[in-house]
Amino acid sequence: MMMMNKAAALKDIRAQLEADYADLPLVSKPEDIVPGEGNGEAEILFIGEAAGRNEAIQRRPFVGLAGKLVDRQLQKINIKREDVYISNVVKCRPPENRDPLPEEIAAFAPYLDKEIEIIDPKLIITLGRFSMGKFIPDVKISMIHGRLHKVKFKGKTRFVLPFYHPAAALRQGKVMDMFEKDFLRVPAILKYIKEHAQDILVEETIIETLF
Ligand code: URA
């Protein structure tokens, strides 16, 4: 069988989400789904929490104020938004933007896991504690944000860099400073991964802070 290219495989996930809508929490029609978007060949995969109001209207992730902040930070490090992939742990808007529930995160996890498998990014940047918790459970974001982690996930080694959520940065100046500083380290961290991945991958630790 011929291998599907990444863009086609990612489009399939969107179709699958819409086909499965009746079984998904928070979703009452296929149009409620806010799928991931971006470049299937991306080196960086950003994972946020759940769609907000603007995202639900436009059916695109991170297009509101938090998304504009991510766009500005990407510009500062000369990375184009169309070169990365952006998705969420919950691909729908929770009522009043409340925190997603564990069962909601679990229901959408197979789709996100498939996105990760297809894109196979060099670096996963988690935005906020819910996407961080998927890879690095039981830690405080204040303790580990901005530090590169090696994580065993679904049998593969993944490089995960946890960031504060941009909405938290917009609410609090101190968090904004940390968010901006963490973002500026991305080029050096990518370079580190490219230079060291081969050596790091043969080691057997489960979760480890690297850089
Ligand atoms: N916040 C998120 O976590 N995801 C979005 O897509 C938008 C805002």
Side-chain angles (χ1 to χ4, degrees):
M1 201 175 77
M2 214 177 74
M3 282 271 290
M4 238 197 294
N5 72 37
K6 291 186 176 190
L10 289 162
K11 213 170 141 201
D12 258 23
I13 295 181
R14 179 186 179 130
Q16 197 58 53
L17 274 160
E18 292 182 356
D20 296 346
Y21 86 91
D23 298 325
L24 290 168
L26 300 170
V27 182
S28 48
K29 53 187 183 308
E31 295 75 26
D32 291 341
I33 303 274
V34 179
E37 72 167 27
N39 191 334
E41 305 290 338
E43 291 188 335
I44 305 176
L45 167 63
F46 286 90
I47 306 175
E49 181 178 316
R53 187 168 170 272
N54 289 294
E55 289 75 23
I57 293 169
Q58 294 188 43
R59 300 196 62 201
R60 296 182 56 209
F62 283 102
V63 289
L65 285 178
K68 299 276 177 280
L69 174 58
V70 171
D71 291 351
R72 282 200 299 282
Q73 302 310 311
L74 280 173
Q75 251 175 22
K76 282 191 202 164
I77 55 171
N78 285 318
I79 294 178
K80 294 194 186 73
R81 178 160 166 144
E82 53 271 31
D83 290 339
V84 303
Y85 199 90
I86 306 185
S87 198
N88 281 304
V89 287
V90 167
K91 295 169 196 322
C92 186
R93 183 188 184 204
E96 316 293 326
N97 294 348
R98 65 152 167 75
D99 287 349
L101 303 172
E103 57 267 32
E104 292 162 356
I105 294 174
F108 285 97
Y111 306 92
L112 176 57
D113 294 350
K114 200 99 206 306
E115 289 177 302
I116 295 168
E117 193 189 316
I118 293 165
I119 298 163
D120 193 22
K122 288 206 168 20
L123 175 64
I124 295 173
I125 298 180
T126 57
L127 300 171
R129 62 200 159 98
F130 291 98
S131 50
M132 176 187 72
K134 181 175 177 72
F135 304 98
I136 312 170
D138 306 321
V139 289
K140 277 200 172 316
I141 203 162
S142 57
M143 304 294 290
I144 67 160
H145 70 92
R147 307 287 308 278
L148 179 64
H149 289 72
K150 181 179 82 166
V151 172
K152 216 25 158 217
F153 182 76
K154 305 270 169 200
K156 271 203 86 167
T157 299
R158 297 287 178 196
F159 294 102
V160 177
L161 180 60
F163 282 1
Y164 278 101
H165 195 286
L170 288 167
R171 280 194 298 268
Q172 230 189 319
K174 265 201 326 224
V175 176
M176 179 66 89
D177 290 346
M178 293 186 275
F179 183 76
E180 288 180 333
K181 251 192 217 136
D182 289 348
F183 230 106
L184 291 176
R185 294 185 73 226
V186 169
I189 285 176
L190 256 185
K191 185 163 177 271
Y192 175 90
I193 293 171
K194 287 177 189 173
E195 286 173 0
H196 298 281
Q198 288 315 325
D199 315 331
I200 297 165
L201 289 177
V202 293
E203 296 164 17
E204 258 317 305
T205 26
I206 304 299
I207 297 181
E208 185 186 351
T209 311
L210 293 173
F211 182 76

mmCIF file of all heavy atoms in Angstrom, residues 119-138:
data_model
loop_
_atom_site.group_PDB
_atom_site.id
_atom_site.type_symbol
_atom_site.label_atom_id
_atom_site.label_comp_id
_atom_site.label_asym_id
_atom_site.label_seq_id
_atom_site.Cartn_x
_atom_site.Cartn_y
_atom_site.Cartn_z
ATOM 1 N N ILE A 119 2.935 13.804 12.384
ATOM 2 C CA ILE A 119 3.871 14.934 12.227
ATOM 3 C C ILE A 119 5.270 14.508 12.673
ATOM 4 O O ILE A 119 6.267 14.901 12.077
ATOM 5 C CB ILE A 119 3.373 16.158 13.031
ATOM 6 C CG1 ILE A 119 2.014 16.610 12.484
ATOM 7 C CG2 ILE A 119 4.369 17.317 12.953
ATOM 8 C CD1 ILE A 119 1.239 17.524 13.411
ATOM 9 N N ASP A 120 5.330 13.709 13.716
ATOM 10 C CA ASP A 120 6.616 13.245 14.259
ATOM 11 C C ASP A 120 7.582 14.435 14.429
ATOM 12 O O ASP A 120 8.679 14.449 13.861
ATOM 13 C CB ASP A 120 7.212 12.176 13.316
ATOM 14 C CG ASP A 120 8.359 11.432 13.962
ATOM 15 O OD1 ASP A 120 8.437 11.421 15.205
ATOM 16 O OD2 ASP A 120 9.202 10.883 13.226
ATOM 17 N N PRO A 121 7.164 15.447 15.214
ATOM 18 C CA PRO A 121 7.953 16.691 15.285
ATOM 19 C C PRO A 121 9.268 16.509 16.031
ATOM 20 O O PRO A 121 9.390 15.603 16.858
ATOM 21 C CB PRO A 121 7.025 17.627 16.078
ATOM 22 C CG PRO A 121 6.236 16.695 16.953
ATOM 23 C CD PRO A 121 6.017 15.452 16.135
ATOM 24 N N LYS A 122 10.215 17.363 15.732
ATOM 25 C CA LYS A 122 11.478 17.355 16.488
ATOM 26 C C LYS A 122 11.227 17.852 17.911
ATOM 27 O O LYS A 122 11.869 17.413 18.859
ATOM 28 C CB LYS A 122 12.492 18.281 15.813
ATOM 29 C CG LYS A 122 13.030 17.726 14.506
ATOM 30 C CD LYS A 122 14.409 18.298 14.226
ATOM 31 C CE LYS A 122 15.141 17.590 13.109
ATOM 32 N NZ LYS A 122 14.365 16.816 12.169
ATOM 33 N N LEU A 123 10.294 18.790 18.040
ATOM 34 C CA LEU A 123 10.047 19.432 19.333
ATOM 35 C C LEU A 123 8.540 19.651 19.528
ATOM 36 O O LEU A 123 7.865 20.148 18.620
ATOM 37 C CB LEU A 123 10.773 20.790 19.366
ATOM 38 C CG LEU A 123 10.541 21.680 20.579
ATOM 39 C CD1 LEU A 123 11.066 21.018 21.848
ATOM 40 C CD2 LEU A 123 11.230 23.041 20.396
ATOM 41 N N ILE A 124 8.057 19.280 20.713
ATOM 42 C CA ILE A 124 6.664 19.562 21.080
ATOM 43 C C ILE A 124 6.688 20.664 22.123
ATOM 44 O O ILE A 124 7.340 20.523 23.169
ATOM 45 C CB ILE A 124 5.972 18.308 21.659
ATOM 46 C CG1 ILE A 124 5.855 17.222 20.576
ATOM 47 C CG2 ILE A 124 4.587 18.660 22.208
ATOM 48 C CD1 ILE A 124 5.343 15.877 21.105
ATOM 49 N N ILE A 125 6.021 21.779 21.843
ATOM 50 C CA ILE A 125 5.916 22.858 22.830
ATOM 51 C C ILE A 125 4.503 22.840 23.393
ATOM 52 O O ILE A 125 3.529 22.985 22.653
ATOM 53 C CB ILE A 125 6.237 24.232 22.203
ATOM 54 C CG1 ILE A 125 7.680 24.247 21.685
ATOM 55 C CG2 ILE A 125 6.006 25.357 23.226
ATOM 56 C CD1 ILE A 125 8.109 25.564 21.049
ATOM 57 N N THR A 126 4.406 22.603 24.702
ATOM 58 C CA THR A 126 3.086 22.574 25.326
ATOM 59 C C THR A 126 2.760 23.969 25.853
ATOM 60 O O THR A 126 3.608 24.636 26.448
ATOM 61 C CB THR A 126 3.032 21.536 26.468
ATOM 62 O OG1 THR A 126 4.062 21.829 27.435
ATOM 63 C CG2 THR A 126 3.255 20.135 25.929
ATOM 64 N N LEU A 127 1.532 24.399 25.598
ATOM 65 C CA LEU A 127 1.081 25.716 26.054
ATOM 66 C C LEU A 127 0.086 25.505 27.188
ATOM 67 O O LEU A 127 -1.059 25.110 26.956
ATOM 68 C CB LEU A 127 0.438 26.477 24.888
ATOM 69 C CG LEU A 127 1.358 26.732 23.685
ATOM 70 C CD1 LEU A 127 0.570 27.288 22.499
ATOM 71 C CD2 LEU A 127 2.488 27.696 24.048
ATOM 72 N N GLY A 128 0.553 25.706 28.417
ATOM 73 C CA GLY A 128 -0.326 25.545 29.570
ATOM 74 C C GLY A 128 -0.213 24.177 30.207
ATOM 75 O O GLY A 128 0.424 23.268 29.677
ATOM 76 N N ARG A 129 -0.895 24.040 31.365
ATOM 77 C CA ARG A 129 -0.670 22.835 32.186
ATOM 78 C C ARG A 129 -1.377 21.596 31.652
ATOM 79 O O ARG A 129 -0.961 20.478 31.929
ATOM 80 C CB ARG A 129 -1.049 23.103 33.645
ATOM 81 C CG ARG A 129 -2.476 23.435 33.879
ATOM 82 C CD ARG A 129 -2.654 24.140 35.209
ATOM 83 N NE ARG A 129 -3.902 24.881 35.206
ATOM 84 C CZ ARG A 129 -5.019 24.430 35.736
ATOM 85 N NH1 ARG A 129 -5.057 23.254 36.326
ATOM 86 N NH2 ARG A 129 -6.123 25.151 35.693
ATOM 87 N N PHE A 130 -2.452 21.763 30.891
ATOM 88 C CA PHE A 130 -3.170 20.560 30.443
ATOM 89 C C PHE A 130 -2.390 19.793 29.378
ATOM 90 O O PHE A 130 -2.342 18.569 29.399
ATOM 91 C CB PHE A 130 -4.583 20.912 29.969
ATOM 92 C CG PHE A 130 -5.447 21.345 31.097
ATOM 93 C CD1 PHE A 130 -5.662 22.692 31.359
ATOM 94 C CD2 PHE A 130 -5.994 20.405 31.957
ATOM 95 C CE1 PHE A 130 -6.432 23.095 32.440
ATOM 96 C CE2 PHE A 130 -6.758 20.797 33.052
ATOM 97 C CZ PHE A 130 -6.983 22.140 33.293
ATOM 98 N N SER A 131 -1.775 20.510 28.443
ATOM 99 C CA SER A 131 -0.973 19.786 27.446
ATOM 100 C C SER A 131 0.347 19.325 28.069
ATOM 101 O O SER A 131 0.847 18.253 27.755
ATOM 102 C CB SER A 131 -0.742 20.634 26.192
ATOM 103 O OG SER A 131 -0.271 21.907 26.508
ATOM 104 N N MET A 132 0.899 20.107 29.009
ATOM 105 C CA MET A 132 2.108 19.666 29.716
ATOM 106 C C MET A 132 1.833 18.335 30.427
ATOM 107 O O MET A 132 2.633 17.396 30.369
ATOM 108 C CB MET A 132 2.528 20.723 30.741
ATOM 109 C CG MET A 132 3.713 20.314 31.607
ATOM 110 S SD MET A 132 4.040 21.497 32.937
ATOM 111 C CE MET A 132 2.655 21.170 34.046
ATOM 112 N N GLY A 133 0.667 18.259 31.091
ATOM 113 C CA GLY A 133 0.313 17.082 31.882
ATOM 114 C C GLY A 133 0.207 15.807 31.060
ATOM 115 O O GLY A 133 0.296 14.705 31.601
ATOM 116 N N LYS A 134 -0.010 15.968 29.776
ATOM 117 C CA LYS A 134 -0.084 14.799 28.895
ATOM 118 C C LYS A 134 1.262 14.059 28.845
ATOM 119 O O LYS A 134 1.301 12.850 28.734
ATOM 120 C CB LYS A 134 -0.484 15.281 27.493
ATOM 121 C CG LYS A 134 -0.626 14.190 26.454
ATOM 122 C CD LYS A 134 -1.150 14.770 25.157
ATOM 123 C CE LYS A 134 -1.242 13.697 24.076
ATOM 124 N NZ LYS A 134 -2.340 12.738 24.324
ATOM 125 N N PHE A 135 2.338 14.820 28.937
ATOM 126 C CA PHE A 135 3.672 14.238 28.802
ATOM 127 C C PHE A 135 4.419 14.180 30.129
ATOM 128 O O PHE A 135 5.225 13.293 30.367
ATOM 129 C CB PHE A 135 4.516 15.061 27.817
ATOM 130 C CG PHE A 135 3.873 15.211 26.468
ATOM 131 C CD1 PHE A 135 3.163 16.350 26.137
ATOM 132 C CD2 PHE A 135 3.961 14.188 25.544
ATOM 133 C CE1 PHE A 135 2.556 16.470 24.901
ATOM 134 C CE2 PHE A 135 3.364 14.297 24.302
ATOM 135 C CZ PHE A 135 2.655 15.446 23.981
ATOM 136 N N ILE A 136 4.195 15.206 30.963
ATOM 137 C CA ILE A 136 4.944 15.318 32.222
ATOM 138 C C ILE A 136 3.924 15.536 33.339
ATOM 139 O O ILE A 136 3.566 16.666 33.665
ATOM 140 C CB ILE A 136 5.947 16.505 32.159
ATOM 141 C CG1 ILE A 136 6.763 16.461 30.863
ATOM 142 C CG2 ILE A 136 6.859 16.506 33.385
ATOM 143 C CD1 ILE A 136 7.594 17.716 30.600
ATOM 144 N N PRO A 137 3.416 14.440 33.893
ATOM 145 C CA PRO A 137 2.354 14.588 34.904
ATOM 146 C C PRO A 137 2.905 14.980 36.269
ATOM 147 O O PRO A 137 4.096 14.821 36.552
ATOM 148 C CB PRO A 137 1.713 13.187 34.944
ATOM 149 C CG PRO A 137 2.770 12.258 34.450
ATOM 150 C CD PRO A 137 3.721 13.039 33.583
ATOM 151 N N ASP A 138 2.019 15.502 37.111
ATOM 152 C CA ASP A 138 2.326 15.752 38.525
ATOM 153 C C ASP A 138 3.503 16.699 38.747
ATOM 154 O O ASP A 138 4.331 16.477 39.629
ATOM 155 C CB ASP A 138 2.602 14.416 39.265
ATOM 156 C CG ASP A 138 1.465 13.433 39.084
ATOM 157 O OD1 ASP A 138 0.311 13.886 39.106
ATOM 158 O OD2 ASP A 138 1.735 12.232 38.896
#
